Amino acid sequence: MEKSSLQKSSANKTPIELAKTVLLIEANAVEALAQKLDDNFTQAVSLILQCQGRVVVSGMGKSGHIGNKIAATLASTGTPAFFMHPAEASHGDLGMITKDDVVIALSNSGESDELLTILPLLKRMGTKIISMTGKNNSTLARQGDVHLDAEVAVEACPLGLAPTASTTAMLALGDALALAVLDQRGFSAEDFARSHPGGSIGRKLFIRIQDVMRTGDAIPSIHIQASLKDALIEMSRKGLGMTAVVDNQNKVVGIFTDGDLRRAFENGVDVNQTVIRDVMHANPQNIHPEQLAVEAVEIMEQRKITALLVVNQQGDLLGALNMHDLLIAKVV
């Protein structure tokens, strides 16, 4: 059997050269999709936004794997969605779909028997169908209420057989659809965090300073008239590497840190005779309890500090935290 042009072009390539070819073919396939977007894409977004039920994604083989990911992306970005295997749909799972749902059916050929079997039943039910295929004149493309064109010029497989560029194109088009819906919905970072409470994303977007700060007697704090010796005792007792300095109304007027202590010793100060206001750092960087914990990380990194005081809008001392507290909370 005569080799295809793609096989011939890859015959003498090193693994890296072949990998570069594969990546470029797939990148070009995705780039070409952007040029083909039309009103069908807008209609698909509208169908999902108007959906009163859930979005059901379905596909066979490699298209099914891509469909699983598209369903997961939709679900995590504000659109209730799940994946349904088309073969299982023919054996009872079709009962999970209602007329209020929208089905996204994926098939590169547009002729997958399992999908075409359930298509008439879905249409009879009144369920809206978004078809995504690599063949504009295929049965599935013609039967969908809206068709999304995912055609690619060539597969990246040297044999021209394994779904590669076509599945990449479908995945990218599915991402584009999910994120266009996200944008139209006004889905926010906080909305995203609510569906990811257990992961690092959720921790960074959901945990606030008030959730991790030290309060009450755990806050290192001394009066502005206290001695440097009192500050050292307070710092040692609370273990945060610093202490807040407050006035009679418990408002923060300064901070004294391990770094300030080293500088004080270098200058030969008397621990017993020195008043803390003479060696403290006035107007320290602080943070409010309702701010995100990840903002504390950013402040510490930018200012090259390891601890922060927590105050309210009036400057009253409410809490304190250091980088270790943020590490324990897994914000860092």
Side-chain angles (χ1 to χ4, degrees):
M1 182 183 293
E2 187 178 347
K3 290 185 178 181
S4 68
S5 58
L6 194 59
Q7 285 178 279
K8 291 176 182 177
S9 66
S10 65
N12 299 315
K13 288 184 177 179
T14 66
I16 288 180
E17 289 172 335
L18 180 57
K20 288 181 178 179
T21 298
V22 170
L23 292 173
L24 286 173
I25 289 174
E26 298 201 5
N28 290 335
V30 172
E31 186 177 3
L33 287 182
Q35 310 306 318
K36 295 192 290 186
L37 291 176
D38 55 19
D39 190 54
N40 282 317
F41 185 84
T42 304
Q43 290 181 42
V45 171
S46 295
L47 276 181
I48 294 175
L49 288 171
Q50 294 165 14
C51 177
Q52 298 300 306
R54 297 153 303 173
V55 174
V56 184
V57 188
S58 191
M60 279 296 295
K62 303 299 186 295
S63 294
H65 295 307
I66 298 302
N68 253 308
K69 196 276 179 182
I70 292 174
T73 300
L74 284 165
S76 71
T77 53
T79 299
F82 65 91
F83 176 79
M84 174 176 287
H85 196 289
E88 297 295 336
S90 295
H91 294 274
D93 282 3
L94 195 62
M96 298 167 66
I97 302 177
T98 73
K99 61 181 180 60
D100 294 323
D101 298 332
V102 170
V103 170
I104 302 178
L106 283 63
S107 170
N108 186 43
S109 68
E111 302 295 344
S112 297
D113 290 337
E114 294 83 356
L115 280 174
L116 297 183
T117 297
I118 64 175
L119 204 63
L121 300 172
L122 294 173
K123 295 179 74 68
R124 192 178 308 154
M125 193 187 306
T127 304
K128 296 297 182 182
I129 299 168
I130 299 171
S131 59
M132 188 185 297
T133 78
K135 300 289 186 295
N136 283 320
N137 60 348
S138 63
T139 304
L140 183 58
R142 293 194 305 270
Q143 293 296 314
D145 294 285
V146 176
H147 176 244
L148 297 179
D149 182 5
E151 184 177 9
V152 299
V154 63
E155 293 287 9
C157 170
L159 302 176
L161 298 175
T164 45
S166 59
T167 49
T168 300
M170 275 190 176
L171 180 60
L173 191 53
D175 283 344
L177 184 62
L179 297 183
V181 171
L182 171 151
D183 183 67
Q184 290 295 303
R185 250 189 235 289
F187 193 76
S188 68
E190 279 203 12
D191 295 326
F192 189 85
R194 288 191 187 97
S195 60
H196 298 77
S200 61
I201 294 174
R203 285 191 291 272
K204 289 180 180 179
L205 295 177
F206 217 52
I207 295 179
R208 301 192 179 274
I209 296 298
Q210 61 196 8
D211 300 322
V212 296
M213 70 183 190
R214 304 190 190 194
T215 60
D217 191 53
I219 307 172
S221 173
I222 59 169
H223 190 268
I224 191 170
Q225 298 295 344
S227 69
L228 176 53
K229 180 180 179 180
D230 293 329
L232 296 183
I233 293 172
E234 182 71 353
M235 289 169 64
S236 177
R237 195 160 63 94
K238 302 299 173 61
L240 274 179
M242 60 86 176
T243 181
V245 182
V246 299
D247 62 14
N248 292 333
Q249 284 74 45
N250 199 43
K251 294 188 184 299
V252 174
V253 293
I255 191 171
F256 188 77
T257 68
D258 286 338
D260 295 320
L261 177 61
R262 287 193 295 273
R263 285 184 286 274
F265 281 152
E266 288 170 0
N267 292 328
V269 300
D270 187 318
V271 172
N272 293 305
Q273 298 300 318
T274 303
V275 178
I276 194 64
R277 70 178 175 187
D278 295 333
V279 289
M280 73 180 189
H281 179 77
N283 302 313
Q285 177 69 52
N286 54 50
I287 198 165
H288 299 306
E290 66 275 7
Q291 288 181 251
L292 292 172
V294 71
E295 294 180 66
V297 178
E298 293 170 0
I299 291 172
M300 290 180 186
E301 290 177 344
Q302 290 171 4
R303 301 272 180 157
K304 293 181 169 56
I305 57 179
T306 58
L308 280 172
L309 299 176
V310 185
V311 301
N312 59 18
Q313 297 295 336
Q314 292 74 41
D316 300 315
L317 180 63
L318 300 179
L321 75 160
N322 64 7
M323 186 63 79
H324 187 63
D325 297 319
L326 297 169
L327 286 167
I328 292 175
K330 298 183 179 179
V331 176
V332 182

